[in-house]
Structures are given as C-alpha cells and as structure tokens.
Amino acid sequence: MRGIPSSEITPEHVYLSRRRFMAATGALGAMLALGACGASPDTSPTAPADTRTDELGDRLNSFEQITTYNNYYEFTTDKQRVARLARDFRVSPWEVAVGGLARRPRVFGLEDLLRFEQEERIYRLRCVEGWSMVIPWLGFPLRRLLAEVEPLAAARYVRFETVLRPEEMPGQRDRFYPWPYVEGLRLDEAMHDLTLLATGLYGRSLTPQNGAPLRLVGPWKYGFYANVNPDVPHPRWSQATERRIGEGGRRPTLPFNGYAEEVAALYAGLDLRVNF
Amino acid sequence: MADQQQPWRAWPRLAVHLALLPLALLIFDAATGRLSVNPIQDMTLRTGKAALALLMLSLACTPLNRLLGWKWAVALRKPLGLYSFLYVCLHLLVFAVADYRLDPALIGQAIAEKRYVLAGLASFALLLPLALTSTRGAMRRLGRWWRRLHRLVYAAAALAVLHYLWLSKVWREPALWGVALVILLLARLPIVRPPRAHGDRHRFLLPGAQAQHPQISPERHLQQSKIRNPQSKMASAAPSSGSARPARAQGHPDAGGEPPQQAQHGEHGPRPVDQRRRPQGARQQQGDDPAHDEQALPELRPEPPGPALSHQIAGAPGDDQE
Ligand code: HEM
C-alpha cells in the first residue's frame, strides 16, 4: 500500500487512508492478528492427518499452532495469552457498516456475510516479526462485498475501522494505543481476488483469537498491511528470511510473500523500496 | 554497626542467585512444552529481558547505597553484572546458533540490515571485556585503568536500551528502561547526594583531610575487623557470588561492577607506597564505613585482617582523586 513509514506498526494505521468510501464498523476485529486464532487445542480438527500443502508445497500449520500464537493487541501483546483472553469475546450479533463513496451503502449482518459463498483458501501468513505460517482460511473475497455496495468512481481507498469494546478487550483499555485500530487498502488492492474476508479456519468457524467473526486477510502483506518485500530491510526485523512456525532454522522470504505473480501488477511503476 | 547488621548481611548475597530464576523458568517451560509455537523467539526475548533487567539492577546498586544507605546492595553489583552477562551470552547463542544456525552469510546480513542487531552486538562487545576483567587478577593488573574500563558499563547499558528501542514495535517499554538508565546516570552526579549518606562524605574531602576526623576508636575498629574475618572466609568459599568485590562502589558513583579499592591499591597496585603510609586516622575513618571494606576485603585479601585492612582501606581515598 502507500508509503507507510515502516517504523509504524500498531497505532499509526490511523493515518493510512485519506479518502475513504467504506467504513466497516464493529467488525474486522482481528486486523492486528498477525498470527492466528486460538481455540481449545484438544478439539483440533487437524489431528495428525492434515498433510495438505499450499501451492508451493509447504505443509499447513496445525490448528493448535494457528490458534495459540496470536498478535492481537486488542486483547494483549502477549501472543500466548490472546487465546485465553479472547475466549468469551461475543462474536454475535455482529454488523459491518459499509459506507462512504458507495452508491448503495448498507449494513451487513453476520448472517448476510455468511451467505456469500464460502471457500477455503490456503494462504501463507508472513508476520513482520519474522515468522510465518501456512493457514487454511475459510471465507470469501472482499471484492464481492464491495461489489454489493457499488463503489463510486471517485473511491480510491478502503478504510477499515475495527471493533471497539474495551469491556471485552482488555488491551483496548490501554490508552497508549489509539483505539480502535484503523487500517486501509487501496481500492484495487481491496478488489484483488486474493484479498479475503475470512470467516473460518480449518473448515470451522473462526476462533475469537484469530479474529472471529470476520478477519481481513491479504496474504501478500504483513499483518499490518504493508507489502511483504524481502528487499526492504525493516529496521526491526530482517525481512530477508523468516522462521516458519514448526520448522527449525530460517527460510528465505519471497517477494510479496510468494504471491508476486498475482499481485506485482498492482504495484507496477511504483518504487517498492519506497512504497511498501 | 557492622556487627549488628551481621546476621542478615548474608541474605542479599544469597538472594542474588535468584538471578538464575528466569533461566530456570525458561528451561522448565521448554521442558514441559510451555513455550509458544515460536520457541526461538521466546528464548530470545526472555534471555534479552533478563539480561537487561539484571544489568540495570547491577547499575542500581551503587545509587541504592549512596542515596538510601543500603550498604548491602554494593555486594550485589558484580554478581548481578555477571549474571546479566550470562543471559547476554545465552541471548547471543540463541540468536547465532538456534536461530541463524551459525550461517555466516545470514548473520552478516542480519547485522547489516538490522540496526538493532548492531546495537546489541556493540553492547555485547563492551560487556565482554568487562566480564573478562572481573577477576581479581585482572583488577590488579589493570590498576587504575580497571575503573576507567568498567565505566563502559554505562555505554553498554545505553546500547542495550537502544537495541531494545530499535527492535520494539511499541516504544513504551524500552523508553521506560531508558528513563531508568538516565536516572541511574543522574544519580552518579556528585551533586546528587543525600545530606548524610553513609560513609560518603569523605569522598569529597581531600585525602589528607580524612585523617583529621577519625570517627571511631581504634578499639572499635579492631573489633569490627575481627568480626569481618569469618565473613571473609564465607565469601571466599563461594567466589561465584562475587560478593566480596564491589565494596568500593560505596565511595564511587560510577560503580557498575567496579572493583574494590584494593584492585588498584593492593600490593601490586599503582600506589602501594602511598597506601601503606596512610595515617592511622584514615584507616579508622574508613573502617567505620562498612560498605567500604567488609565485603571487599575477604576475597581479595587472604591475609589476616589487621594489616590487610589497613592497606586496602588506606588506599581508598586516593581512588576518588582519579
Ligand atoms: C549480542 C548481540 C545481540 C544480538 C544479536 C541480539 C539479538 C536480539 C534479537 C534477535 C532479539 C529479538 C527481536 C525480536 O524477535 O523481536 C533481541 C531482543 C532483545 N534483546 Fe538482544 N541481542 C543482543 C544483545 C543484547 C544485549 C547486550 C541486551 C541487554 C543487555 C539485549 C537485550 C534484549 C532485549 C531486552 C530484547 C527484547 C526482549 C523483549 O522484547 O521482551 N540484547 N535481541
């Protein structure tokens, strides 16, 4: 996306979008969730058996891995504690208001969202902290939702505003961060087929720690929606390599997290060293 | 005074080994599967945090003594510093071995790309010589340079805080450590002194002046010496505690794991003659200052307390002049 100063990960997203046509209120809770959710590991549907891989041949991370290691500052900055703190988070009723520069702005209930055809997408998740996972999401492309509201020609960006419920999300009581978390995508990024609104994980409902009931997933981006670019050294974490959860050692990070073929065209002409 | 405090004096020196607790917890968590699915990150962060916390605690010892009169803190400075270094080494091992698998290309790239790694390495590079010269022999050999060298601990701490700041997504916590470090540095300033800090006053007097106000009688001093003696044996028996050394911190705001006076002024120190000529009065005055002598003595001075004490103590005022 546009030039996000790389030094700004959490609170600064507020600056991201100037012009907006969509405001999703009360939803998209897990945008900070760089990791994934957490549920009771004992009910892990992966069992020993899930040997599926992504299109590059990398094995899926286990349900337990995905659900016990979550970056979700609305609850806590401690990745291992998110699952417990999020356990009782109310995921329904849930509404997403889509407005702004749209011909038919409207409010979607969770039921409406689940009516979109749900498909499984196995995506790599590359966290800017230097680790990654392979996650089988369930959901539908964001573009279908956007199509329903008919963006006006003037719309250029999508601004996401996430849930604000300090009573239920202890991390939001910390005034150090400007809640609610706000994030943005260029409209063409948002309309890209890879951009997913996830409603499930491993074939079941999304777990609260992974962003239930609805989570935005842009697999070529870091959790904070800058593009994964191994050529741009991040001042905090080397982006050249990553640790795949469950593996030892490090592996090279791919440009656009391995999705360059699909998305590089979005950024043709942009200097990605500056605009990442 | 020294004699009355005797019974609980040993506690801080035992308690300092609680510094091993974070390591024990880490090992326990690893052994019982309590680490996260990203165990390398857990180990890196936890060893790093422990290293920084212990380093700051070590730096806090001298001010605690100077400003609050907590004399026992002085003995903890060096063991805390060494424990901090232990965690730094573990931290570096996790980074280089577990994470980067000793791959020189990858490590080189990480150093080149990530300024926080560079800051961490720089901090390590400063701490290494300090740890290596924490021995009695090194203190003696280095003489007055020992203290100057060991002032680097402040630079190492500043680099460690910078390291933390640069690697953090959220600056609050590293900033708090930074504030703590600034406060510790400020506490070094001579103007920041309590009106009646224990045994502190003499440091700002000329050496000669000290001889002029002995505070205790020679008899009492002798008595203290005798009591100190058993303690010294205890300390020598457990050298890892390092408890014996940091005595000189009492007189020196720039402590941070510094050596006791005798390192510089022992028989092989730069000013031995001077020391031995110190008038009796100086010795007594110093002798009244427990933080100054008692812990410093034993480990470094196997000799009987009497004469040894006089060497060591007499040398102390000179230190302040450096
Ligand atoms: C020897 C060279 C060093 C290297 C290569 C190094 C490397 C690292 C790395 C890779 C991280 C983790 C970054 C992350 O995953 O977010 C880290 C974190 C940290 N390091 Fe170091 N470090 C070094 C020296 C030090 C020293 C000397 C100290 C303190 C005395 C220190 C204190 C810390 C602290 C406090 C953290 C953050 C812990 C946290 O966030 O909870 N490091 N270091």
Side-chain angles (χ1 to χ4, degrees):
Chain A
M1 67 205 332
R2 296 164 312 127
I4 308 167
S6 50
S7 58
E8 299 170 358
I9 294 203
T10 306
E12 291 85 353
H13 305 289
V14 182
Y15 308 121
L16 285 186
S17 45
R18 289 285 168 262
R19 301 172 53 198
R20 63 204 66 154
F21 92 82
M22 158 168 160
T25 50
L28 302 167
M31 317 209 52
L32 267 183
L34 306 177
C37 7
S40 32
D42 46 334
T43 60
S44 166
T46 55
D50 206 325
T51 54
R52 287 179 298 161
T53 65
D54 64 9
E55 80 283 6
L56 300 179
D58 293 339
R59 291 271 296 272
L60 297 186
N61 279 100
S62 73
F63 182 78
E64 179 178 358
Q65 286 167 335
I66 297 168
T67 55
T68 57
Y69 195 64
N70 313 104
N71 261 330
Y72 200 160
Y73 284 14
E74 278 83 346
F75 288 103
T76 169
T77 54
D78 179 343
K79 293 191 254 299
Q80 283 178 277
R81 281 182 60 219
V82 171
R84 188 153 34 88
L85 290 173
R87 203 171 37 206
D88 300 322
F89 183 69
R90 277 184 298 118
V91 297
S92 113
W94 199 269
E95 286 184 339
V96 181
V98 188
L101 298 176
R103 190 161 297 117
R104 301 169 56 194
R106 68 174 273 205
V107 176
F108 295 86
L110 190 56
E111 330 65 69
D112 307 321
L113 298 174
L114 291 174
R115 239 171 262 134
F116 288 100
E117 188 194 333
Q118 310 286 310
E119 52 188 286
E120 179 158 82
R121 296 269 182 104
I122 295 177
Y123 281 166
R124 289 173 294 283
L125 173 95
R126 167 64 157 84
C127 178
V128 75
E129 292 175 10
W131 51 267
S132 60
M133 292 189 187
V134 181
I135 302 176
W137 299 108
L138 201 60
F140 62 97
L142 174 64
R143 67 183 159 79
R144 294 226 212 103
L145 181 84
L146 297 182
E148 297 258 315
V149 301
E150 299 178 25
L152 297 173
R156 302 266 325 276
Y157 301 102
V158 185
R159 174 183 189 274
F160 302 88
E161 188 175 318
T162 62
V163 64
L164 180 66
R165 271 197 225 152
E167 336 73 66
E168 285 180 72
M169 305 178 114
Q172 288 189 335
R173 284 174 229 147
D174 185 344
R175 312 300 306 182
F176 187 75
Y177 307 94
W179 305 111
Y181 179 57
V182 173
E183 189 51 272
L185 289 178
R186 263 171 30 195
L187 183 57
D188 57 344
E189 294 175 324
M191 296 295 279
H192 195 282
D193 185 61
L194 281 177
T195 306
L196 192 73
L197 276 179
T199 56
L201 171 71
Y202 261 115
R204 2 180 311 177
S205 298
L206 208 52
T207 42
Q209 64 269 43
N210 293 78
L214 196 62
R215 168 183 178 133
L216 180 67
V217 182
W220 71 97
K221 291 173 173 287
Y222 298 121
F224 69 111
Y225 299 98
N227 294 324
V228 175
N229 188 346
D231 297 330
V232 177
H234 190 278
R236 279 181 290 266
W237 299 278
S238 169
Q239 301 310 343
T241 58
E242 65 199 46
R243 247 184 339 254
R244 177 63 50 83
I245 298 301
E247 285 181 1
R250 306 183 74 88
R251 50 160 68 208
T253 287
L254 303 169
F256 294 108
N257 200 23
Y259 300 97
E261 220 170 281
E262 291 88 346
V263 302
L266 288 174
Y267 310 101
L270 281 182
D271 179 358
L272 288 174
R273 306 194 60 102
V274 182
N275 301 280
F276 67 95
Chain B
M1 52 202 290
D3 26 348
Q4 276 135 32
Q5 290 167 9
Q6 197 79 29
W8 47 272
R9 277 240 174 98
W11 284 109
R13 279 182 255 154
L14 293 176
V16 76
H17 301 297
L18 288 176
L20 285 170
L21 208 59
L23 179 58
L25 277 176
L26 186 59
I27 292 171
F28 175 79
D29 284 350
T32 56
R34 272 164 232 261
L35 294 182
S36 76
V37 295
N38 195 356
I40 292 177
Q41 191 182 44
D42 294 345
M43 292 190 283
T44 309
L45 298 184
R46 286 168 67 168
T47 51
K49 191 67 77 58
L52 182 62
L54 289 168
L55 188 61
M56 302 294 263
L57 281 177
S58 163
L59 291 179
C61 289
T62 299
L64 285 180
N65 172 52
R66 285 186 69 210
L67 304 180
L68 302 180
W70 295 1
K71 298 182 214 86
W72 50 263
V74 171
L76 307 187
R77 190 185 43 193
K78 175 174 161 180
L80 285 171
L82 285 176
Y83 272 131
S84 168
F85 189 69
L86 169 70
Y87 283 98
V88 170
C89 291
L90 293 172
H91 188 64
L92 182 58
L93 278 178
V94 173
F95 171 84
V97 181
D99 199 356
Y100 284 79
R101 303 276 164 107
L102 292 179
D103 181 328
L106 275 187
I107 292 176
Q109 189 182 30
I111 296 170
E113 275 182 3
K114 303 195 261 191
R115 53 184 186 174
Y116 81 79
V117 170
L118 200 61
L121 275 175
S123 178
F124 173 75
L126 292 184
L127 290 172
L128 181 64
L130 304 195
L132 293 180
T133 58
S134 64
T135 61
R136 203 180 316 192
M139 287 187 218
R140 225 179 280 127
R141 260 175 278 121
L142 287 170
R144 60 158 58 184
W145 288 102
W146 195 95
R147 269 189 72 202
R148 300 189 179 170
L149 178 67
H150 279 246
R151 288 220 176 109
L152 287 178
V153 73
Y154 284 96
L159 283 166
V161 170
L162 192 66
H163 168 68
Y164 193 7
L165 190 72
W166 277 346
L167 68 86
S168 294
K169 279 194 276 195
V170 179
W171 51 265
R172 175 170 49 189
E173 207 183 321
L176 289 176
W177 285 107
V179 169
L181 180 61
V182 168
I183 290 174
L184 290 175
L185 277 167
L186 287 178
R188 267 199 60 150
L189 296 178
I191 45 163
V192 184
R193 294 195 296 140
R196 286 171 291 117
H198 278 283
D200 215 33
R201 193 171 18 153
H202 68 273
R203 291 184 310 109
F204 300 92
L205 300 175
L206 291 173
Q210 307 190 14
Q212 270 137 48
H213 50 124
Q215 292 174 354
I216 55 168
S217 69
E219 295 85 314
R220 177 152 172 230
H221 172 63
L222 195 62
Q223 187 190 14
Q224 284 176 351
S225 304
K226 280 183 188 138
I227 285 162
R228 278 177 208 120
N229 200 27
Q231 218 181 12
S232 75
K233 283 184 181 131
M234 192 176 78
S236 319
S240 69
S241 80
S243 56
R245 307 248 182 78
R248 78 106 46 91
Q250 174 279 331
H252 296 282
D254 53 338
E258 283 175 25
Q261 300 77 355
Q262 61 271 44
Q264 295 158 45
H265 307 286
E267 303 92 316
H268 313 295
R271 283 167 288 192
V273 180
D274 229 24
Q275 295 161 20
R276 284 169 185 159
R277 281 190 196 144
R278 227 18 100 179
Q280 182 74 355
R283 181 180 89 193
Q284 290 167 347
Q285 196 264 340
Q286 293 281 326
D288 191 32
D289 169 15
H292 223 291
D293 52 6
E294 89 216 278
Q295 287 120 350
L297 209 50
E299 212 175 35
L300 298 166
R301 293 286 176 142
E303 312 95 306
L309 191 65
S310 76
H311 290 186
Q312 187 248 329
I313 285 169
D319 283 351
D320 296 312
Q321 314 305 314
E322 119 175 80

